[in-house]
Amino acid sequence: IPALRAHTRDVEFTVLRHIDAGEWLWVLVGIKARSAATLEPMEFSGQLAIRFEGDKFAEAYNHFDFVSFAEQIGAMPPDTVLLCMSGEQLSL
């Protein structure tokens, strides 16, 4: 959360899909924001799978598209995944 907040402004989370399966909840979220550096709009997604015991989280498995996030804030080049899949290497 601190890294996300440091690099974004005007963050909005939207629940795109959700499935309630008893003690498990799966949620697909869309995140819209503006880059803190350029104020350009940015958008990426995430998924959460959460198991509840009563009203408390017992387990949570989260995945967010941080490659897309990093590309949009300028920390990684555009099309990073495609470049790496084609054999290119990212230099530090």
Coordinates of all heavy atoms in Angstrom, one line a residue:
I1 N 0.8 -1.2 0.0 CA 0.0 0.0 0.0 C 0.9 1.3 0.0 O 0.6 2.2 -0.8 CB -1.0 0.0 1.2 CG1 -1.9 -1.2 1.1 CG2 -1.7 1.3 1.3 CD1 -2.9 -1.2 0.0
P2 N 1.9 1.3 0.8 CA 2.7 2.6 0.8 C 3.4 2.8 -0.6 O 3.4 4.0 -1.1 CB 3.8 2.3 1.8 CG 3.2 1.4 2.8 CD 2.3 0.5 1.9
A3 N 3.8 1.7 -1.3 CA 4.4 1.9 -2.6 C 3.4 2.4 -3.6 O 3.6 3.3 -4.4 CB 5.1 0.6 -3.1
L4 N 2.2 1.8 -3.5 CA 1.1 2.2 -4.4 C 0.8 3.7 -4.2 O 0.7 4.5 -5.1 CB -0.1 1.4 -4.2 CG -1.4 1.7 -5.0 CD1 -1.2 1.3 -6.4 CD2 -2.6 1.1 -4.4
R5 N 0.6 4.1 -2.9 CA 0.3 5.5 -2.6 C 1.4 6.5 -3.0 O 1.1 7.6 -3.4 CB 0.0 5.6 -1.1 CG -1.3 5.0 -0.8 CD -1.7 5.4 0.6 NE -3.0 4.9 1.0 CZ -4.2 5.5 0.7 NH1 -4.1 6.7 0.1 NH2 -5.3 5.0 1.1
A6 N 2.7 6.0 -2.9 CA 3.8 6.9 -3.3 C 3.8 7.2 -4.7 O 4.3 8.3 -5.1 CB 5.1 6.3 -2.8
H7 N 3.3 6.3 -5.6 CA 3.4 6.5 -7.0 C 2.1 6.9 -7.7 O 2.1 7.0 -8.9 CB 4.0 5.2 -7.7 CG 5.4 4.9 -7.3 ND1 6.5 5.7 -7.8 CD2 5.9 4.1 -6.4 CE1 7.6 5.2 -7.2 NE2 7.3 4.3 -6.4
T8 N 1.0 7.0 -7.0 CA -0.3 7.3 -7.6 C -1.0 8.4 -6.9 O -0.7 8.8 -5.7 CB -1.1 6.0 -7.5 OG1 -1.3 5.6 -6.2 CG2 -0.5 4.9 -8.4
R9 N -2.0 8.9 -7.6 CA -2.9 9.9 -7.0 C -4.3 9.5 -7.5 O -4.5 8.8 -8.5 CB -2.6 11.3 -7.5 CG -1.3 11.8 -7.2 CD -1.1 12.1 -5.7 NE 0.2 12.6 -5.4 CZ 1.2 11.9 -5.0 NH1 1.0 10.6 -4.8 NH2 2.4 12.4 -4.7
D10 N -5.3 9.9 -6.7 CA -6.7 9.7 -7.1 C -7.0 8.2 -7.4 O -7.7 7.9 -8.4 CB -7.1 10.5 -8.3 CG -6.8 12.0 -8.2 OD1 -6.9 12.5 -7.0 OD2 -6.4 12.6 -9.1
V11 N -6.7 7.3 -6.5 CA -6.9 5.9 -6.7 C -8.3 5.5 -6.5 O -9.0 5.9 -5.5 CB -6.0 5.1 -5.7 CG1 -6.2 3.6 -5.9 CG2 -4.5 5.4 -5.9
E12 N -8.9 4.7 -7.4 CA -10.2 4.2 -7.3 C -10.2 2.7 -7.5 O -9.6 2.2 -8.5 CB -11.1 4.8 -8.4 CG -11.3 6.3 -8.3 CD -12.1 6.8 -9.5 OE1 -12.9 6.0 -10.1 OE2 -12.0 8.0 -9.8
F13 N -10.8 2.0 -6.6 CA -11.0 0.5 -6.7 C -12.4 0.2 -7.1 O -13.4 0.7 -6.5 CB -10.7 -0.2 -5.4 CG -9.2 -0.1 -5.0 CD1 -8.8 1.0 -4.3 CD2 -8.4 -1.1 -5.3 CE1 -7.5 1.1 -3.9 CE2 -7.0 -1.0 -4.9 CZ -6.6 0.1 -4.2
T14 N -12.6 -0.7 -8.1 CA -13.9 -1.1 -8.5 C -14.0 -2.7 -8.5 O -13.1 -3.3 -9.0 CB -14.2 -0.6 -10.0 OG1 -14.1 0.8 -10.0 CG2 -15.6 -1.0 -10.4
V15 N -15.0 -3.2 -7.9 CA -15.2 -4.7 -7.9 C -15.8 -5.0 -9.3 O -16.9 -4.6 -9.6 CB -16.1 -5.1 -6.8 CG1 -16.4 -6.6 -6.9 CG2 -15.5 -4.9 -5.4
L16 N -15.0 -5.7 -10.1 CA -15.5 -6.1 -11.5 C -16.3 -7.4 -11.5 O -17.2 -7.5 -12.2 CB -14.3 -6.2 -12.4 CG -13.4 -4.9 -12.5 CD1 -12.2 -5.2 -13.3 CD2 -14.2 -3.8 -13.1
R17 N -15.9 -8.3 -10.6 CA -16.5 -9.6 -10.5 C -16.3 -10.1 -9.1 O -15.3 -9.8 -8.5 CB -16.0 -10.7 -11.5 CG -15.9 -10.3 -12.9 CD -17.2 -10.8 -13.6 NE -17.2 -10.6 -15.0 CZ -17.3 -9.5 -15.7 NH1 -17.4 -8.4 -15.1 NH2 -17.2 -9.4 -17.0
H18 N -17.2 -10.9 -8.6 CA -17.0 -11.6 -7.3 C -17.8 -12.9 -7.3 O -18.8 -13.0 -7.9 CB -17.4 -10.7 -6.2 CG -18.9 -10.4 -6.1 ND1 -19.5 -9.5 -6.9 CD2 -19.8 -11.0 -5.3 CE1 -20.8 -9.5 -6.5 NE2 -21.0 -10.4 -5.6
I19 N -17.3 -13.8 -6.6 CA -17.9 -15.1 -6.4 C -17.9 -15.5 -4.9 O -16.8 -15.5 -4.3 CB -17.3 -16.2 -7.2 CG1 -17.4 -15.9 -8.7 CG2 -17.9 -17.6 -6.9 CD1 -16.6 -16.9 -9.6
D20 N -19.0 -15.6 -4.3 CA -19.2 -16.1 -2.9 C -19.3 -17.6 -2.9 O -20.3 -18.1 -3.5 CB -20.4 -15.4 -2.3 CG -20.6 -15.7 -0.8 OD1 -19.9 -16.7 -0.3 OD2 -21.4 -15.0 -0.2
A21 N -18.4 -18.3 -2.4 CA -18.4 -19.8 -2.3 C -18.4 -20.2 -0.9 O -17.4 -20.9 -0.4 CB -17.3 -20.3 -3.1
G22 N -19.4 -19.8 -0.1 CA -19.4 -20.2 1.3 C -18.4 -19.5 2.1 O -18.4 -18.3 2.3
E23 N -17.4 -20.2 2.6 CA -16.4 -19.5 3.5 C -15.3 -18.8 2.6 O -14.5 -18.1 3.1 CB -15.7 -20.5 4.4 CG -14.9 -21.6 3.7 CD -14.3 -22.6 4.7 OE1 -14.7 -22.6 5.9 OE2 -13.4 -23.4 4.3
W24 N -15.4 -19.0 1.3 CA -14.4 -18.4 0.4 C -15.1 -17.2 -0.4 O -16.2 -17.4 -0.8 CB -13.8 -19.4 -0.6 CG -12.7 -20.2 0.0 CD1 -12.9 -21.4 0.6 CD2 -11.4 -19.9 0.1 NE1 -11.7 -21.9 1.0 CE2 -10.7 -21.0 0.7 CE3 -10.6 -18.8 -0.3 CZ2 -9.4 -21.0 1.0 CZ3 -9.2 -18.9 -0.1 CH2 -8.6 -19.9 0.6
L25 N -14.3 -16.2 -0.7 CA -14.8 -15.1 -1.5 C -13.7 -14.8 -2.5 O -12.5 -14.7 -2.1 CB -15.1 -13.8 -0.7 CG -15.4 -12.6 -1.5 CD1 -16.7 -12.7 -2.2 CD2 -15.4 -11.3 -0.6
W26 N -14.0 -14.8 -3.8 CA -13.1 -14.4 -4.8 C -13.5 -13.1 -5.4 O -14.7 -12.9 -5.7 CB -13.0 -15.5 -5.9 CG -12.2 -15.0 -7.1 CD1 -10.9 -15.1 -7.2 CD2 -12.7 -14.5 -8.3 NE1 -10.5 -14.6 -8.5 CE2 -11.6 -14.2 -9.2 CE3 -14.0 -14.2 -8.8 CZ2 -11.7 -13.6 -10.4 CZ3 -14.1 -13.6 -10.1 CH2 -13.0 -13.4 -10.9
V27 N -12.6 -12.2 -5.6 CA -12.9 -10.8 -6.1 C -11.9 -10.4 -7.2 O -10.7 -10.6 -7.0 CB -12.9 -9.8 -5.0 CG1 -13.3 -8.4 -5.5 CG2 -13.8 -10.2 -3.9
L28 N -12.4 -9.9 -8.3 CA -11.6 -9.3 -9.3 C -11.8 -7.8 -9.2 O -12.9 -7.3 -9.3 CB -12.0 -9.8 -10.7 CG -11.3 -9.1 -11.9 CD1 -9.8 -9.4 -11.9 CD2 -11.9 -9.6 -13.2
V29 N -10.7 -7.1 -9.0 CA -10.8 -5.6 -8.9 C -10.1 -4.9 -10.0 O -9.1 -5.4 -10.5 CB -10.3 -5.1 -7.5 CG1 -11.1 -5.7 -6.4 CG2 -8.8 -5.5 -7.3
G30 N -10.6 -3.8 -10.3 CA -10.0 -2.9 -11.3 C -9.5 -1.7 -10.5 O -10.2 -1.1 -9.6
I31 N -8.3 -1.2 -10.8 CA -7.7 -0.1 -10.1 C -7.4 1.0 -11.1 O -6.7 0.7 -12.1 CB -6.4 -0.4 -9.3 CG1 -6.7 -1.5 -8.2 CG2 -5.8 0.8 -8.7 CD1 -6.2 -2.8 -8.6
K32 N -8.0 2.2 -10.9 CA -7.7 3.3 -11.8 C -7.1 4.4 -10.9 O -7.4 4.5 -9.7 CB -9.0 3.9 -12.4 CG -9.6 3.0 -13.4 CD -10.8 3.7 -14.0 CE -11.5 2.8 -15.1 NZ -12.6 3.4 -15.7
A33 N -6.1 5.1 -11.5 CA -5.4 6.1 -10.7 C -4.7 7.0 -11.7 O -4.8 6.9 -12.9 CB -4.3 5.4 -9.8
R34 N -4.0 8.0 -11.1 CA -3.1 8.9 -11.9 C -1.7 8.7 -11.4 O -1.5 8.6 -10.2 CB -3.5 10.3 -11.8 CG -4.9 10.6 -12.4 CD -5.1 12.1 -12.6 NE -6.3 12.3 -13.3 CZ -6.5 12.2 -14.7 NH1 -5.4 12.0 -15.4 NH2 -7.6 12.5 -15.2
S35 N -0.8 8.7 -12.4 CA 0.7 8.6 -12.0 C 1.0 9.9 -11.2 O 0.7 11.0 -11.6 CB 1.5 8.5 -13.2 OG 2.9 8.8 -12.9
A36 N 1.7 9.7 -10.1 CA 2.1 10.8 -9.2 C 3.1 11.7 -10.0 O 3.1 12.9 -9.8 CB 2.7 10.3 -7.9
A37 N 3.9 11.1 -10.8 CA 5.0 11.8 -11.5 C 4.5 12.6 -12.7 O 4.9 13.7 -12.9 CB 6.1 10.8 -12.0
T38 N 3.5 12.0 -13.5 CA 3.1 12.7 -14.7 C 1.6 13.1 -14.7 O 1.2 13.8 -15.6 CB 3.3 11.7 -15.9 OG1 2.4 10.6 -15.7 CG2 4.8 11.3 -16.0
L39 N 0.8 12.6 -13.7 CA -0.6 12.8 -13.7 C -1.3 12.1 -14.8 O -2.5 12.3 -15.0 CB -1.0 14.2 -13.5 CG -0.5 14.9 -12.3 CD1 -1.0 16.4 -12.3 CD2 -1.0 14.2 -11.0
E40 N -0.6 11.2 -15.6 CA -1.3 10.5 -16.6 C -2.2 9.4 -16.0 O -1.8 8.8 -15.0 CB -0.2 9.8 -17.5 CG 0.5 10.7 -18.4 CD -0.4 11.4 -19.5 OE1 -1.2 10.6 -20.1 OE2 -0.2 12.6 -19.7
P41 N -3.3 9.1 -16.6 CA -4.2 8.0 -16.1 C -3.5 6.7 -16.2 O -2.7 6.4 -17.2 CB -5.4 8.1 -17.0 CG -5.1 9.0 -18.1 CD -3.9 9.7 -17.8
M42 N -3.7 5.8 -15.3 CA -3.2 4.4 -15.3 C -4.3 3.5 -14.8 O -5.2 3.9 -14.1 CB -1.9 4.3 -14.5 CG -2.0 4.8 -13.1 SD -0.5 4.9 -12.2 CE 0.1 3.3 -12.2
E43 N -4.2 2.2 -15.2 CA -5.2 1.2 -14.9 C -4.5 -0.1 -14.8 O -3.7 -0.5 -15.7 CB -6.2 1.3 -16.0 CG -7.5 0.6 -15.7 CD -8.6 0.9 -16.7 OE1 -8.6 1.9 -17.4 OE2 -9.5 0.0 -16.8
F44 N -4.9 -0.9 -13.8 CA -4.4 -2.3 -13.7 C -5.4 -3.1 -12.9 O -6.4 -2.5 -12.4 CB -3.0 -2.4 -13.2 CG -2.8 -1.8 -11.8 CD1 -2.6 -2.7 -10.7 CD2 -2.7 -0.5 -11.6 CE1 -2.4 -2.2 -9.4 CE2 -2.5 0.0 -10.3 CZ -2.3 -0.8 -9.2
S45 N -5.2 -4.4 -12.8 CA -6.2 -5.2 -12.1 C -5.5 -6.1 -11.0 O -4.3 -6.2 -10.9 CB -6.9 -6.1 -13.1 OG -5.9 -7.0 -13.7
G46 N -6.4 -6.7 -10.2 CA -5.9 -7.6 -9.1 C -7.0 -8.6 -8.8 O -8.2 -8.4 -9.1
Q47 N -6.6 -9.7 -8.2 CA -7.5 -10.7 -7.7 C -7.2 -11.0 -6.3 O -6.1 -11.0 -5.9 CB -7.4 -12.0 -8.6 CG -7.7 -11.8 -10.0 CD -7.5 -13.1 -10.8 OE1 -8.3 -14.0 -10.4 NE2 -6.6 -13.2 -11.7
L48 N -8.3 -11.3 -5.5 CA -8.1 -11.7 -4.2 C -9.0 -12.9 -3.9 O -10.1 -13.0 -4.4 CB -8.6 -10.6 -3.2 CG -7.9 -9.2 -3.4 CD1 -8.7 -8.4 -4.3 CD2 -7.8 -8.6 -2.0
A49 N -8.4 -13.9 -3.2 CA -9.2 -15.1 -2.8 C -9.1 -15.1 -1.3 O -7.9 -15.1 -0.7 CB -8.6 -16.4 -3.4
I50 N -10.2 -15.0 -0.6 CA -10.2 -14.8 0.9 C -11.1 -15.9 1.5 O -12.2 -16.1 1.1 CB -10.7 -13.4 1.3 CG1 -9.9 -12.3 0.5 CG2 -10.7 -13.2 2.8 CD1 -10.7 -11.0 0.5
R51 N -10.5 -16.5 2.5 CA -11.3 -17.5 3.3 C -11.6 -16.9 4.7 O -10.7 -16.3 5.3 CB -10.6 -18.8 3.5 CG -11.4 -19.9 4.2 CD -10.8 -21.2 4.3 NE -9.6 -21.2 5.2 CZ -9.6 -21.3 6.5 NH1 -10.8 -21.4 7.1 NH2 -8.5 -21.2 7.2
F52 N -12.9 -17.0 5.0 CA -13.3 -16.4 6.3 C -13.6 -17.4 7.3 O -14.0 -18.5 7.0 CB -14.7 -15.6 6.1 CG -14.5 -14.4 5.3 CD1 -14.6 -14.4 3.9 CD2 -14.3 -13.2 5.9 CE1 -14.5 -13.3 3.1 CE2 -14.2 -12.0 5.1 CZ -14.3 -12.0 3.7
E53 N -13.3 -17.1 8.6 CA -13.7 -17.9 9.7 C -14.6 -16.9 10.5 O -14.0 -16.0 11.2 CB -12.6 -18.4 10.5 CG -11.8 -19.5 9.8 CD -10.7 -20.1 10.6 OE1 -10.4 -19.6 11.7 OE2 -10.0 -21.0 10.2
G54 N -15.9 -17.0 10.4 CA -16.8 -16.0 11.0 C -16.7 -14.8 10.2 O -16.8 -14.8 9.0
D55 N -16.4 -13.7 10.9 CA -16.2 -12.4 10.2 C -14.8 -11.9 10.1 O -14.5 -10.8 9.8 CB -17.1 -11.3 11.0 CG -16.6 -11.1 12.4 OD1 -15.7 -11.8 12.9 OD2 -17.1 -10.1 13.0
K56 N -13.8 -12.9 10.3 CA -12.4 -12.6 10.2 C -11.8 -13.3 9.0 O -12.2 -14.4 8.6 CB -11.7 -12.9 11.4 CG -12.2 -12.2 12.6 CD -11.3 -12.4 13.8 CE -12.0 -11.8 15.0 NZ -11.5 -10.8 15.7
F57 N -10.7 -12.7 8.4 CA -10.0 -13.3 7.3 C -9.1 -14.4 8.0 O -8.4 -14.2 8.9 CB -9.0 -12.4 6.7 CG -9.6 -11.3 5.8 CD1 -10.9 -11.1 5.7 CD2 -8.7 -10.5 5.1 CE1 -11.5 -10.1 4.9 CE2 -9.3 -9.5 4.2 CZ -10.6 -9.3 4.1
A58 N -9.2 -15.6 7.4 CA -8.4 -16.8 7.9 C -7.3 -17.0 6.9 O -6.2 -17.4 7.4 CB -9.3 -18.0 8.0
E59 N -7.5 -16.8 5.7 CA -6.5 -16.9 4.6 C -6.8 -15.9 3.5 O -7.9 -15.6 3.3 CB -6.5 -18.3 3.9 CG -6.2 -19.5 4.7 CD -6.3 -20.8 3.9 OE1 -5.5 -21.0 3.0 OE2 -7.3 -21.5 4.2
A60 N -5.7 -15.5 2.9 CA -5.9 -14.6 1.7 C -4.8 -14.8 0.7 O -3.6 -14.9 1.1 CB -5.9 -13.1 2.2
Y61 N -5.2 -14.9 -0.5 CA -4.2 -15.1 -1.6 C -4.5 -13.9 -2.6 O -5.6 -13.9 -3.2 CB -4.4 -16.4 -2.3 CG -4.1 -17.6 -1.3 CD1 -5.2 -18.1 -0.6 CD2 -2.9 -18.0 -1.0 CE1 -5.0 -19.1 0.3 CE2 -2.7 -19.0 0.0 CZ -3.7 -19.6 0.6 OH -3.5 -20.5 1.5
N62 N -3.5 -13.1 -2.8 CA -3.7 -11.9 -3.6 C -2.7 -11.9 -4.8 O -1.6 -12.4 -4.7 CB -3.4 -10.6 -2.8 CG -4.2 -10.6 -1.5 OD1 -5.4 -10.9 -1.5 ND2 -3.6 -10.2 -0.4
H63 N -3.2 -11.4 -5.9 CA -2.4 -11.2 -7.1 C -2.8 -9.9 -7.7 O -4.0 -9.7 -8.0 CB -2.5 -12.3 -8.1 CG -1.9 -12.0 -9.4 ND1 -0.6 -12.1 -9.6 CD2 -2.5 -11.5 -10.5 CE1 -0.3 -11.7 -10.8 NE2 -1.4 -11.4 -11.4
F64 N -1.8 -9.0 -7.9 CA -2.1 -7.8 -8.6 C -1.1 -7.7 -9.8 O 0.0 -8.2 -9.7 CB -1.9 -6.6 -7.7 CG -3.0 -6.4 -6.7 CD1 -3.0 -7.2 -5.5 CD2 -4.1 -5.6 -7.0 CE1 -4.1 -7.1 -4.7 CE2 -5.2 -5.5 -6.1 CZ -5.2 -6.3 -5.0
D65 N -1.5 -7.0 -10.9 CA -0.6 -6.9 -12.1 C 0.4 -5.8 -11.8 O 0.2 -4.7 -12.4 CB -1.5 -6.6 -13.3 CG -0.8 -6.6 -14.6 OD1 0.5 -6.7 -14.5 OD2 -1.4 -6.3 -15.6
F66 N 1.4 -6.1 -11.0 CA 2.4 -5.1 -10.7 C 3.4 -4.8 -11.9 O 4.0 -3.8 -11.9 CB 3.1 -5.4 -9.4 CG 2.3 -5.2 -8.2 CD1 2.0 -6.3 -7.4 CD2 1.8 -4.0 -7.9 CE1 1.2 -6.0 -6.2 CE2 1.0 -3.7 -6.8 CZ 0.7 -4.8 -5.9
V67 N 3.5 -5.7 -12.8 CA 4.3 -5.4 -14.0 C 3.6 -4.3 -14.8 O 4.3 -3.3 -15.1 CB 4.5 -6.7 -14.9 CG1 5.1 -6.3 -16.2 CG2 5.3 -7.7 -14.2
S68 N 2.3 -4.4 -15.0 CA 1.6 -3.3 -15.7 C 1.7 -2.0 -14.9 O 2.0 -0.9 -15.4 CB 0.2 -3.7 -15.9 OG -0.6 -2.6 -16.5
F69 N 1.6 -2.1 -13.6 CA 1.7 -0.9 -12.7 C 3.1 -0.3 -12.9 O 3.3 0.9 -13.1 CB 1.5 -1.3 -11.2 CG 1.8 -0.3 -10.2 CD1 0.9 0.8 -10.0 CD2 3.0 -0.3 -9.5 CE1 1.2 1.7 -9.0 CE2 3.3 0.6 -8.5 CZ 2.4 1.7 -8.3
A70 N 4.2 -1.1 -12.8 CA 5.5 -0.6 -12.9 C 5.8 0.0 -14.3 O 6.5 1.0 -14.4 CB 6.5 -1.8 -12.7
E71 N 5.2 -0.6 -15.4 CA 5.3 0.0 -16.7 C 4.7 1.4 -16.7 O 5.3 2.3 -17.3 CB 4.6 -0.9 -17.7 CG 5.3 -2.2 -18.0 CD 4.6 -3.1 -19.0 OE1 3.4 -2.8 -19.3 OE2 5.1 -4.1 -19.4
Q72 N 3.5 1.5 -16.1 CA 2.8 2.8 -16.2 C 3.4 3.9 -15.4 O 3.2 5.1 -15.6 CB 1.3 2.5 -15.8 CG 0.6 1.7 -16.8 CD -0.8 1.4 -16.4 OE1 -1.7 2.3 -16.5 NE2 -1.0 0.1 -16.0
I73 N 4.2 3.5 -14.3 CA 4.9 4.6 -13.6 C 6.3 4.8 -14.1 O 7.0 5.7 -13.6 CB 4.9 4.3 -12.1 CG1 5.8 3.0 -11.7 CG2 3.5 4.2 -11.5 CD1 6.1 2.8 -10.3
G74 N 6.7 4.1 -15.2 CA 8.0 4.3 -15.8 C 9.1 3.5 -15.2 O 10.3 3.8 -15.5
A75 N 8.8 2.6 -14.3 CA 9.9 1.8 -13.6 C 10.3 0.6 -14.5 O 11.4 0.0 -14.2 CB 9.4 1.3 -12.2
M76 N 9.5 0.2 -15.4 CA 9.8 -0.9 -16.4 C 9.4 -0.4 -17.8 O 8.5 0.4 -17.9 CB 9.1 -2.2 -16.0 CG 9.5 -2.7 -14.7 SD 8.6 -4.2 -14.2 CE 9.6 -5.4 -14.9
P77 N 10.1 -0.9 -18.8 CA 9.8 -0.5 -20.2 C 8.4 -1.0 -20.6 O 7.9 -2.0 -20.1 CB 10.9 -1.1 -21.0 CG 11.4 -2.3 -20.2 CD 11.2 -1.9 -18.8
P78 N 7.8 -0.3 -21.5 CA 6.5 -0.8 -22.1 C 6.7 -2.2 -22.7 O 7.7 -2.5 -23.2 CB 6.2 0.2 -23.2 CG 7.0 1.4 -22.9 CD 8.2 1.0 -22.2
D79 N 5.6 -3.0 -22.6 CA 5.6 -4.4 -23.1 C 6.7 -5.2 -22.5 O 7.3 -6.1 -23.1 CB 5.8 -4.4 -24.6 CG 4.6 -3.7 -25.3 OD1 3.5 -3.8 -24.8 OD2 4.9 -2.9 -26.3
T80 N 7.0 -5.1 -21.2 CA 8.0 -5.8 -20.5 C 7.8 -7.3 -20.6 O 8.8 -8.1 -20.9 CB 8.0 -5.5 -19.0 OG1 8.4 -4.1 -18.9 CG2 9.0 -6.3 -18.2
V81 N 6.6 -7.8 -20.4 CA 6.4 -9.3 -20.5 C 6.7 -9.8 -21.9 O 7.4 -10.8 -22.1 CB 4.9 -9.6 -20.1 CG1 4.6 -11.1 -20.4 CG2 4.7 -9.3 -18.6
L82 N 6.2 -9.1 -22.9 CA 6.5 -9.5 -24.3 C 8.0 -9.5 -24.6 O 8.5 -10.4 -25.3 CB 5.7 -8.6 -25.3 CG 4.2 -8.7 -25.2 CD1 3.5 -7.7 -26.2 CD2 3.7 -10.1 -25.5
L83 N 8.7 -8.5 -24.2 CA 10.1 -8.4 -24.4 C 10.8 -9.5 -23.7 O 11.7 -10.2 -24.4 CB 10.7 -7.1 -23.8 CG 10.3 -5.8 -24.6 CD1 10.7 -4.6 -23.8 CD2 11.0 -5.8 -26.0
C84 N 10.5 -9.8 -22.5 CA 11.2 -10.9 -21.8 C 10.8 -12.3 -22.4 O 11.7 -13.2 -22.5 CB 10.8 -10.9 -20.3 SG 11.5 -9.5 -19.4
M85 N 9.6 -12.5 -22.9 CA 9.2 -13.7 -23.5 C 9.9 -13.9 -24.9 O 10.1 -15.0 -25.4 CB 7.7 -13.8 -23.7 CG 7.0 -14.0 -22.4 SD 5.2 -14.0 -22.6 CE 4.9 -15.4 -23.5
S86 N 10.3 -12.8 -25.5 CA 11.0 -12.9 -26.8 C 12.5 -13.0 -26.6 O 13.3 -13.1 -27.6 CB 10.7 -11.7 -27.7 OG 11.3 -10.5 -27.1
G87 N 13.0 -13.1 -25.4 CA 14.4 -13.3 -25.1 C 15.2 -12.1 -24.7 O 16.4 -12.2 -24.4
E88 N 14.6 -11.0 -24.7 CA 15.3 -9.8 -24.2 C 15.5 -9.9 -22.7 O 14.8 -10.5 -22.0 CB 14.4 -8.5 -24.5 CG 14.2 -8.2 -26.0 CD 15.5 -7.8 -26.6 OE1 16.3 -7.1 -26.0 OE2 15.7 -8.1 -27.8
Q89 N 16.5 -9.2 -22.3 CA 16.8 -9.1 -20.8 C 16.7 -7.7 -20.4 O 17.2 -6.8 -21.1 CB 18.2 -9.7 -20.5 CG 18.3 -11.2 -20.8 CD 19.6 -11.7 -20.3 OE1 20.6 -11.0 -20.0 NE2 19.8 -13.0 -20.3
L90 N 16.2 -7.5 -19.2 CA 16.1 -6.2 -18.6 C 17.4 -5.9 -17.9 O 17.9 -6.7 -17.2 CB 14.9 -6.1 -17.6 CG 13.5 -6.3 -18.2 CD1 12.5 -6.3 -17.1 CD2 13.2 -5.4 -19.3
S91 N 18.0 -4.7 -18.1 CA 19.2 -4.4 -17.4 C 18.8 -3.6 -16.2 O 17.8 -2.8 -16.2 CB 20.1 -3.6 -18.3 OG 19.5 -2.4 -18.8
L92 N 19.7 -3.7 -15.2 CA 19.4 -2.9 -13.9 C 19.9 -1.6 -14.0 O 20.8 -1.1 -14.3 CB 19.9 -3.7 -12.7 CG 19.3 -5.1 -12.5 CD1 20.0 -5.8 -11.4 CD2 17.8 -4.9 -12.2

